[in-house]
Amino acid sequence: MHAPAPVTLSATQTDLSRRRVLQAASAVAVGAAAGLPSTRAWGQGSDKPEKEEVRIGFIPLTDCASVVMASVLGFDKKYGIKIIPTKEASWAGVRDKLVNGELDMAHVLWGLVYGVHLGVSGPKKDMAVLMNLNHNGQAITLSKKLADKGAVDGPSLAKLMATDKRDYTFAQTFPTGTHAMWLYYWLATYGINPMKDAKIITVPPPQMVANMRVGNMDGYCVGEPWGHRAIMDGIGITVTTTQDIWKDHPEKALGTTGEFAKKYPNTCRAAIMAILEASRWIDASLQNKLKMAETVADKAYVNTSVDAINQRILGRYQNGLGKTWDDPNHMKFFNDGQVTFPYLSDGMWFLTQHKRWGLLKEHPDYLGVAKQINQVELYKQAASALKVSVPKDPMRSSKMVDGVVWDGKEPAKYADGFKVHA
């Protein structure tokens, strides 16, 4: 069974520069409309960014929006930097370019950053999370063929897999990434061991729909718009959203190397501030969300139709079987600073799952690793300059789909406490 040939995703430079010219004019107008000061709020004297051009890699997903809008709306200029959003084809490509310095930063999976830091799924290098980029807004899709056989939720999928025995294939986007962990957690909740009862493959996000169309997998977990796109194309159903697995879960981070964060602290702060402003702008109104959908749908970014993006960012969901609902826990970018804060417990959770699924052989120093990676102080400085509220505690408590509470306490006990594991 062969996957279709991967599509070349990198946008041409000419396309991007043409866009930037068009956007410069609209950025000024939008900035004025949003009541933004036109002068630089930062970047004077010793706070001046050490590096003015910041190449930020992104994957074509709705949740790259705050990075894209920071550039398109000119928030970056306020802080003395120029963000160059760089479209990448796969998470492995993002990892390699971050590690070798071709990218300064990236819109990246939390679990990828943590994996690289510990040498899991690729080279080992000290890494840094500067901020969280979004909560919620990913989904697990099952093929229409499975749905036609009655697999429309976790219990019915488990039942079908037990009675209709064959090799079942599920796709995630990167071995240590968020989508792999949501997929595994959800399957395991219904007694399906992803390591024993199914074949797991890795597929880059924009290629999920094409792969399902040709029958390469029974289901996948990915970020929007590729869940909704499967419904629009009539090839899949949304069996669950990731916010139903963990409400307000961390998703993408603004990641860089530990070395970059140490060497260019002012640049990092400037990027955090520009993206914080963009995050706040997106969440501020319905109109802004729709403008964002229009912008990121463009072929330079996500390369899909606007209607594949604009429904779910407003919380308007359908499952592909006739059910529709309004989800208050849709994708959020700011939520009064709750989204963007890099909670230590969020990073630690991914480590517990890496241990659970055998990606880590030993228990790491969970809290120690999170403190090394998450640049909480740098984030707080940027947030306080923008008067963005910061949570009092870098740990938070969350209840998962299986009823188990994660609060960052006793991580080793938590990691070892699952009945279904590698």
Side-chain angles (χ1 to χ4, degrees), residues 173-187:
T173 63
F174 190 78
T176 58
T178 52
H179 304 117
M181 299 309 124
W182 312 139
L183 177 66
Y184 300 171
Y185 201 98
W186 182 77
L187 289 170

Side-chain angles (χ1 to χ4, degrees), residues 181-302:
M181 299 309 124
W182 312 139
L183 177 66
Y184 300 171
Y185 201 98
W186 182 77
L187 289 170
T189 297
Y190 301 102
I192 302 163
N193 188 324
M195 302 297 144
K196 295 174 187 158
D197 304 333
K199 183 182 170 201
I200 303 291
I201 60 172
T202 302
V203 175
Q207 293 169 30
M208 284 293 189
V209 176
N211 275 277
M212 182 169 270
R213 190 179 288 112
V214 299
N216 280 352
M217 82 275 270
D218 296 291
Y220 62 72
C221 182
V222 74
E224 293 302 335
W226 309 119
H228 188 60
R229 187 82 244 177
I231 292 172
M232 290 172 72
D233 293 359
I235 61 163
I237 66 156
T238 291
V239 72
T240 191
T241 63
T242 52
Q243 53 266 31
D244 281 343
I245 297 169
W246 173 359
K247 179 184 166 240
D248 293 340
H249 65 77
E251 184 47 48
K252 302 303 183 300
L254 181 64
T256 185
T257 60
E259 191 185 350
F260 190 94
K262 279 192 192 77
K263 197 171 168 187
Y264 305 111
N266 296 347
T267 307
C268 289
R269 209 166 19 237
I272 295 168
M273 290 167 82
I275 293 167
L276 265 177
E277 287 227 37
S279 307
R280 181 158 60 185
W281 180 88
I282 293 166
D283 275 10
S285 71
L286 187 72
Q287 199 184 348
N288 290 4
K289 286 191 178 80
L290 295 173
K291 168 92 178 117
M292 173 273 273
E294 220 172 279
T295 306
V296 301
D298 188 273
K299 76 172 191 288
Y301 304 114
V302 180

Side-chain angles (χ1 to χ4, degrees), residues 102-117:
E102 276 178 74
L103 291 172
D104 298 317
M105 299 174 189
H107 149 257
V108 68
L109 304 159
W110 269 83
L112 183 153
V113 174
Y114 271 68
V116 170
H117 192 87

